[in-house]
Amino acid sequence: MPDLLQEPLTWTNTAIFFAWGVVLLLIVLGFVTYAIYFERKVIGWMQMRIGPNRVGPLGLLQSVADVFKLLIKEDTIPKKAERELFILAPVITFIPAFTVIAAIPFTDRLISSDLNVGVLYYVALSGISTIGIVLGGWASNNKYALLGGMRSAAQMISYEIPLVISIVGVVMMSGSMNLRTIVEGQAGGFWHWNFLPQIIGFAVFVVAAVSELNRTPFDLPEAESELVAGYHVEYSGFRFAFFMLAEYVYVFAIAGLTTTVFLGGWQAPLPFLDFIPGIIWFLLKFAFIVFFLFWLRATMPRIRVDQLMGLGWKVLLPLALVNIFVTAIYMAIAM
């Protein structure tokens, strides 16, 4: 793909880009379908339950059946809802979740778009999903949906700030916002990976990323005991599926970003293991991050909203700022 990016845009190149986009979309949709299945299986295993086991061999078709059910369910729109925005909100939420994947390098050659501002591209687009969630809550003309949308916006904006600042230390050390360059700077073994010198930034990033995903223990926007089902309470059928799809696509994206920025991307953990293809190392690290997110959901209780906001502003933000100063002092001494 990087070679094509340097060539003039032709009909052939356009067709290749389009085909690659379709393939990537199918891969992501396949990931979402079976990530839901494996999440239920992993949580069932951890909590001594069975999990899906009825539809298909070993329950492998359970998520397919669930998706099919959502697609054929009646699509209802509240009578007094803001119809156009109600329809548009799930789309605004999903599209940025998919497009941020374009900047993630899976190997040194398997990358959709080798952007010099890859980190900025990811941060800028991922923030747009907040607009879709707020619109979904407001356009429903339901006070509980509105409260869920506003709570979600407050949470995502609050945690996006430490999330972005936690990556600044990596950008300073790498001297680039190009994600491929950041990975190349981590070659030579796991002791060169960014999670070690940037351990504070890494810890802040992980906590903020879980909150950005609205997953346990930070799933306050969907706190059924307080707000029914949050911002998507009035949605049904495939429009509800778009919101769920966006959440799991962001799991894909955040796992890819964590692997790229902090865990060496496609780099082998030990130099003598370089003979193993880079895509294998990327997928192993990626799978570990996804498993970690499932593990959290199986074990952590939901925290209160005041604890959530206090953690973001009083703990994570100061730590992220401290990390920048520590990195700057270290670089000044090292130079």
Side-chain angles (χ1 to χ4, degrees), residues 204-237:
V204 171
F205 179 88
V206 169
V207 176
V210 175
S211 182
E212 277 285 291
L213 292 171
N214 291 339
R215 293 182 62 84
T216 308
F218 305 115
D219 55 339
L220 271 298
E222 302 172 20
E224 298 89 349
S225 59
E226 303 172 38
L227 298 171
V228 193
Y231 57 89
H232 52 57
V233 65
E234 295 290 357
Y235 283 88
S236 63

Side-chain angles (χ1 to χ4, degrees), residues 56-328:
L58 303 176
L60 285 170
L61 297 180
Q62 181 64 59
S63 293
V64 177
D66 291 340
V67 170
F68 181 70
K69 178 190 73 172
L70 287 173
L71 291 177
I72 64 174
K73 283 186 71 174
E74 181 182 2
D75 177 35
T76 60
I77 299 178
K79 183 177 180 181
K80 295 185 178 181
E82 193 73 30
R83 186 178 179 86
E84 291 77 12
L85 293 179
F86 186 88
I87 294 172
L88 193 60
V91 180
I92 295 176
T93 303
F94 168 73
I95 290 178
F98 177 68
T99 52
V100 296
I101 298 173
I104 296 177
F106 301 100
T107 68
D108 56 342
R109 297 186 60 80
L110 187 58
I111 174 174
S112 298
S113 186
D114 189 16
L115 299 174
N116 288 330
V117 289
V119 173
L120 185 62
Y121 171 86
Y122 184 99
V123 171
L125 282 184
S126 62
I128 296 176
S129 292
T130 307
I131 300 174
I133 289 174
V134 173
L135 283 180
W138 180 80
S140 299
N141 193 35
N142 179 309
K143 61 183 179 182
Y144 295 108
L146 178 59
L147 286 172
M150 295 305 294
R151 173 181 284 188
S152 182
Q155 175 178 335
M156 295 178 75
I157 292 171
S158 297
Y159 278 82
E160 193 164 336
I161 296 171
L163 179 76
V164 174
I165 297 177
S166 66
I167 306 177
V168 172
V170 173
V171 173
M172 291 168 64
M173 293 180 62
S174 305
S176 173
M177 287 196 291
N178 185 307
L179 291 172
R180 181 170 59 83
T181 303
I182 290 174
V183 175
E184 290 172 348
Q186 301 176 72
F190 71 88
W191 52 91
H192 293 291
W193 295 356
N194 287 328
F195 83 95
L196 286 173
Q198 289 290 309
I199 188 64
I200 298 176
F202 178 61
V204 171
F205 179 88
V206 169
V207 176
V210 175
S211 182
E212 277 285 291
L213 292 171
N214 291 339
R215 293 182 62 84
T216 308
F218 305 115
D219 55 339
L220 271 298
E222 302 172 20
E224 298 89 349
S225 59
E226 303 172 38
L227 298 171
V228 193
Y231 57 89
H232 52 57
V233 65
E234 295 290 357
Y235 283 88
S236 63
F238 74 97
R239 300 192 202 283
F240 171 79
F242 259 92
F243 282 119
M244 179 176 288
L245 181 62
E247 177 183 330
Y248 279 90
V249 172
Y250 267 126
V251 169
F252 184 102
I254 208 71
L257 185 67
T258 307
T259 301
T260 299
V261 174
F262 290 102
L263 300 181
W266 62 83
Q267 307 287 357
L270 297 170
F272 68 87
L273 296 174
D274 281 342
F275 67 93
I276 299 176
I279 187 65
I280 301 297
W281 291 119
F282 184 96
L283 291 176
L284 286 174
K285 299 169 190 176
F286 176 90
F288 172 76
I289 297 296
V290 173
F291 173 79
F292 174 74
L293 293 173
F294 295 167
W295 187 5
L296 283 182
R297 185 169 183 179
T299 57
M300 297 289 287
R302 178 184 293 143
I303 65 175
R304 297 196 314 264
V305 65
D306 59 308
Q307 294 173 328
L308 171 80
M309 301 304 288
L311 177 66
W313 290 105
K314 297 178 182 179
V315 179
L316 296 187
L317 181 57
L319 281 177
L321 292 172
V322 166
N323 182 63
I324 293 178
F325 286 110
V326 171
T327 303

Side-chain angles (χ1 to χ4, degrees), residues 1 15-25 27 106 110-112:
M1 293 303 291
I16 293 174
F17 280 125
F18 180 78
W20 169 243
V22 171
V23 169
L24 187 59
L25 178 61
I27 291 173
F106 301 100
L110 187 58
I111 174 174
S112 298

